[in-house]
């Protein structure tokens, strides 16, 4: 019975990740409406640098979750032999690790994103006339249902990585996607690949040493962030080839900078670079690779 139960849990955890992504996307949609529609001291809120930065902090985890759940759902299709294909053992290994990673990180990000989106609207967002309070309440359920954050992080590290070595197939598939990301500047691809290699090695190290159990969440988060940076790099190259829009690469750069790189708390950073990036990501027009590449 446990084998059947584990399969049901796998589906439920994937659904939980999809639900959390949907909650975040709805919250981000409402926050964007406020950003573009509210007038503050005679100017649209979107012209305020701090508001633009807050919007980017909302959007980055939303786009990470979208990339990861599409990747996980595709692995599920291939693992179960959908559309007349033979079941893939490699895809099953990818799925075994991707599912708890998605469940662990997307549900936790959902709590932060829905709260920050409510904050973007201000006090009016707190009252029950708006959907924001319900989104926030529902987001908290995601990190509890089908395993709390600790349980799911340990499942990803001690079992999927430590016992079944799923990180090998997981990494191989992501490396292949980076290799296929044609048109992306080589130094940036190498930076993403380097982050992914370090995250996989760290996860394997934590999984191999029972004394490092307290680092399970840290290792799972690092692996999730590095994987989503790789996925968005591949997606940026693909969308540029198909419709001339490479903006998704900028999300990959933001993940590397803000999720996987230590920052000096007393350094404001390159605000000019951030202004240019926010202009592209918060605007409605696509941006081709030749415009995005110098920003990577």
């Amino acid at each position: 019975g446990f084998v059947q139960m584990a399969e049901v849990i796998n589906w439920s955890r994937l659904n939980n990740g999809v639900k959390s992504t949907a909650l975040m996307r709805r919250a981000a949609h409402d926050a964007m409406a406020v950003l573009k529609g509210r007038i503050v001291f005679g100017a649209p809120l979107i012209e305020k640098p701090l508001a633009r930065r807050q919007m980017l902090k909302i959007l980055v985890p939303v786009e990470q979750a979208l990339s990861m759940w599409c990747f996980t759902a595709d692995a599920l299709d291939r693992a179960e032999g959908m559309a007349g294909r033979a079941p893939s053992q490699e895809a099953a290994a990818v799925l075994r690790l991707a599912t708890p990673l998605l469940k662990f990180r997307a549900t936790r990000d959902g709590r932060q994103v829905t709260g920050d989106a409510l904050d973007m609207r201000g006090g009016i967002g707190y009252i029950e006339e708006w959907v924001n309070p319900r989104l926030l309440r529902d987001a908290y359920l995601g990190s509890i249902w089908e395993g709390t954050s600790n349980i799911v992080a340990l499942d990803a590290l001690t079992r999927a990585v430590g016992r079944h070595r799923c990180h090998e197939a997981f990494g191989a598939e992501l490396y292949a996607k980076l290799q296929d990301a044609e048109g992306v500047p080589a130094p940036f691809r190498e930076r993403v690949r380097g982050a992914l290699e370090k995250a996989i090695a760290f996860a394997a190290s934590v999984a191999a040493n029972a004394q490092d159990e307290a680092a399970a969440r840290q290792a799972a988060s690092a692996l999730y962030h590095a994987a989503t940076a790789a996925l968005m790099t591949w997606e940026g190259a693909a969308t540029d080839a198909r419709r001339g829009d490479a903006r998704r690469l900028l999300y990959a750069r933001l993940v590397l900078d803000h999720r996987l790189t230590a920052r000096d708390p007393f350094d404001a950073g390159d605000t000019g670079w951030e202004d240019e990036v926010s202009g592209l990501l918060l605007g409605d027009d696509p941006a081709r690779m030749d415009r995005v590449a110098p920003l990577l």
Side-chain angles (χ1 to χ4, degrees):
F2 182 78
V3 173
Q4 281 73 27
M5 185 179 75
E7 183 177 342
V8 171
I9 290 175
N10 220 31
W11 275 84
S12 183
R13 284 180 173 174
L14 174 57
N15 290 338
N16 208 321
V18 174
K19 183 206 76 170
S20 295
T21 307
L23 288 172
M24 286 192 282
R25 284 177 65 81
R26 171 60 196 269
H29 176 274
D30 286 3
M32 187 72 81
V34 174
L35 186 75
K36 293 185 175 182
R38 186 178 178 187
I39 305 299
V40 179
F41 299 112
L45 185 59
I46 196 172
E47 294 182 8
K48 307 297 182 181
L50 190 56
R52 290 201 302 271
R53 172 175 286 186
Q54 183 70 10
M55 193 67 228
L56 286 183
K57 289 177 69 176
I58 290 171
L59 287 174
V60 168
V62 177
E63 299 304 327
Q64 285 183 272
L66 177 63
S67 292
M68 183 57 89
W69 87 248
C70 288
F71 175 69
T72 307
D74 178 67
L76 176 64
D77 280 353
R78 291 182 290 114
E80 298 200 348
M82 298 291 189
R85 295 178 293 187
S88 167
Q89 291 299 315
E90 290 77 11
V94 172
L95 177 68
R96 179 65 184 86
L97 179 53
T99 300
L101 285 180
L102 172 67
K103 162 64 169 78
F104 165 65
R105 192 67 254 174
T107 56
R108 292 197 62 79
D109 286 341
R111 292 157 55 168
Q112 183 71 42
V113 166
T114 53
D116 285 352
L118 185 151
D119 190 53
M120 180 72 80
R121 189 180 290 278
I124 193 70
Y126 187 80
I127 64 176
E128 295 295 334
E129 289 184 17
W130 297 94
V131 73
N132 302 80
R134 178 181 175 183
L135 296 177
L136 183 60
R137 288 196 302 271
D138 286 353
Y140 269 82
L141 175 62
S143 59
I144 300 170
W145 194 259
E146 296 296 7
T148 61
S149 299
N150 285 356
I151 295 299
V152 180
L154 287 170
D155 180 48
L157 269 292
T158 61
R159 286 184 283 277
V161 174
R163 185 180 303 172
H164 302 298
R165 302 193 64 79
C166 297
H167 59 294
E168 295 173 358
F170 185 82
E173 189 148 328
L174 292 171
Y175 292 140
K177 288 188 179 298
L178 282 175
Q179 189 65 30
D180 288 342
E182 297 181 359
V184 177
F188 183 74
R189 273 202 293 183
E190 284 306 306
R191 185 185 175 197
V192 176
R193 183 183 179 89
L196 183 59
E197 288 175 346
K198 290 175 68 174
I200 291 173
F202 181 42
S205 174
V206 171
N209 190 349
Q211 293 181 337
D212 288 339
E213 180 180 306
R217 289 164 65 119
Q218 179 186 350
S221 290
L223 189 52
Y224 176 86
H225 296 322
T228 54
L231 289 171
M232 290 192 283
T233 299
W234 171 70
E235 292 163 353
T239 53
D240 182 64
R242 292 178 183 178
R243 60 174 186 268
D245 190 359
R247 289 181 296 173
R248 205 152 186 80
L249 284 159
L250 298 176
Y251 283 116
R253 164 75 193 269
L254 289 170
V255 170
L256 293 180
D257 287 358
H258 293 274
R259 300 288 199 170
L260 293 170
T261 304
R263 305 191 71 195
D264 184 347
F266 305 109
D267 183 2
D270 187 351
T271 56
W273 176 87
E274 189 174 284
D275 282 343
E276 192 167 356
V277 168
S278 66
L280 292 175
L281 292 179
L282 301 180
D284 297 322
D285 297 327
R288 296 196 63 86
M289 185 70 74
D290 57 358
R291 189 175 180 190
V292 169
L295 297 171
L296 298 178

